[in-house]
Amino acid sequence: MTAPIAAIILAAGKGTRMKSDTHKVLHPLAGRPMLLHLIDSVDALDPARTIVVVGAGREQVEAAVQPLGAETVQQAEQLGTGHAVRMAEDALAGFAGDVLILYGDVPLVSTATMRRMLERLHGADAPAAVVLGFRPFDPGAYGRVIADGQGHIVKMVEFKDASAEERAETLCNSGLMAVGAKDLFALLAQVTNANAAGEYYLPDIVMLAAAAGRHSAVIETDAHEVTGVNSRGELAGLEAEWQQARRARAMADGATLVAPETVWFAHDTKLGRDVLIEPNVFFGPGVEVADRVTIHGFSHIEGANIASGASVGPYARLRPGTVLARAPRSAISSRPRRRCSARAPRPII
């Protein structure tokens, strides 16, 4: 890929189901706000621009993303996903590259999947847009993607507007798309709100492109990667899935977890080889563990650096800034030695 990349991340929703003063996309997953997981994956593509569409609670989101170099634009009214993306049009005036459209409450989309979307956009058949599809266990109320054998999209339809036959389709729309900037905003200008919800739907650009004689394509990913979060229960479910995958990776990389389901990692936990972790260990952010370390049960470790061969706990509490390392031999040998003197036994009275 040689075209410059811009990412538009939608984060204007109120998130009322979270019942929280903290913006939905800033609730932590593995010790890091969901939105920052996503921005980190985008950054690996070296984007020219990252634009976050904000609305309610915008001050919180702006404070979180601006230090990372992301820009923000406001969606004052919640008029649908198509309307939200259009809020970035002025900010991207003159931009001639590719645009990734992502969602701040869908935090685990990988850089590799984003790259696949962009590569498909530049396929030999030159699709107008690329849609990321998935097949959930329960398709529920997701919008459906009807595609042919080549992955060309025949129709995209929101669940509310779908027929019974269309609802039987299992390929669902994640909402994530890759589109050339020029095509994106030209098509969005044609989107109307003539639908059951009275909203401006982003997926409508696919059918508008088809009406102009251009096809769009769908690629698929695992449902886990595009899991969205709208409630604390859904966040807990995603956390559990993330932790399960991280534990499996730790063991595959050479760590022993005595009771894997009781060990909790942070997003940036680093483990060496031949590390032994006993039950009920919690890692907060910023922990580095070298080779051949044993961490005994019921330990809580955060912001600590643990050197090779160390034994920690049980019931240890290592706070941020803690460094466990072997003392130099010179320091050990220079310590004054205590002399032991025999004392006469005390008389028994």
Side-chain angles (χ1 to χ4, degrees):
M1 294 177 297
T2 57
I5 300 165
I8 300 175
I9 301 175
L10 305 189
K14 295 179 179 179
T16 54
R17 289 170 56 190
M18 298 295 285
K19 293 181 170 58
S20 175
D21 293 332
T22 300
H23 196 287
K24 176 174 69 171
V25 300
L26 299 181
H27 278 260
L29 175 70
R32 171 197 273 174
M34 290 191 289
L35 178 58
L36 303 196
H37 278 272
L38 188 60
I39 288 177
D40 189 53
S41 296
V42 170
D43 283 348
L45 294 171
D46 192 24
R49 309 279 294 278
T50 299
I51 299 173
V52 181
V53 181
V54 298
R58 61 177 296 184
E59 296 83 3
Q60 293 183 32
V61 178
E62 288 171 346
V65 305
Q66 286 177 351
L68 303 177
E71 309 164 56
T72 58
V73 296
Q74 185 177 16
Q75 183 189 24
E77 296 181 88
Q78 309 296 297
L79 301 178
T81 52
H83 179 261
V85 173
R86 285 200 72 178
M87 298 301 98
E89 184 171 4
D90 288 344
L92 289 177
F95 180 78
D98 300 332
V99 179
L100 279 168
I101 301 167
L102 309 166
Y103 292 77
D105 58 1
V106 182
L108 297 185
V109 185
S110 68
T111 303
T113 294
M114 296 178 196
R115 188 173 284 113
R116 281 201 300 128
M117 294 169 68
L118 294 166
E119 288 172 350
R120 183 67 186 88
L121 187 63
H122 289 274
D125 56 343
V130 173
V131 174
L132 185 62
F134 69 111
R135 298 182 188 273
F137 176 76
D138 178 11
Y142 288 107
R144 302 301 202 264
V145 181
I146 315 298
D148 64 18
Q150 288 72 48
H152 293 164
I153 298 173
V154 176
K155 186 176 182 180
M156 288 181 65
V157 58
E158 294 295 327
F159 181 82
K160 296 175 184 177
D161 303 306
S163 67
E165 183 180 0
E166 289 164 346
R167 290 180 179 183
E169 171 61 57
T170 60
L171 182 58
C172 296
N173 174 25
S174 70
L176 281 67
M177 301 179 73
V179 195
K182 183 178 179 181
D183 289 331
L184 173 63
F185 295 113
L187 290 167
L188 281 173
Q190 303 173 52
V191 173
T192 72
N193 63 347
N195 51 62
E199 294 185 348
Y200 297 89
Y201 289 145
L202 174 65
D204 284 358
I205 67 173
V206 170
M207 301 319 298
L208 288 167
R214 297 188 62 193
H215 71 271
S216 297
V218 61
I219 65 170
E220 295 188 38
T221 192
D222 184 82
H224 165 74
E225 193 174 5
V226 290
T227 299
V229 172
N230 291 297
S231 68
R232 293 178 190 266
E234 290 175 354
L235 178 59
L238 191 60
E239 177 82 41
E241 290 183 22
W242 189 94
Q243 292 292 341
Q244 184 176 4
R246 181 64 182 87
R247 293 165 190 146
R249 180 158 61 89
M251 291 184 286
D253 289 343
T256 295
L257 277 57
V258 176
E261 69 280 1
T262 69
V263 176
W264 287 76
F265 291 106
H267 65 96
D268 58 352
T269 306
K270 296 179 181 178
L271 299 179
R273 295 182 63 179
D274 294 314
V275 171
L276 171 63
I277 304 175
E278 291 185 351
N280 299 297
V281 172
F282 180 90
F283 294 97
V287 176
E288 293 190 24
V289 180
D291 296 345
R292 300 183 303 283
V293 168
T294 297
I295 301 176
H296 295 283
F298 298 93
S299 295
H300 185 118
I301 303 169
E302 183 174 356
N305 191 305
I306 302 172
S308 178
S311 179
V312 178
Y315 298 95
R317 174 70 168 94
L318 301 189
R319 301 179 185 275
T322 300
V323 176
L324 292 185
R326 291 181 181 275
R329 288 186 176 275
S330 57
I332 297 174
S333 61
S334 63
R335 293 174 183 168
R337 296 183 178 179
R338 293 182 180 179
R339 293 185 177 182
C340 298
S341 58
R343 293 183 179 180
R346 295 177 64 185
I348 299 175
I349 300 176

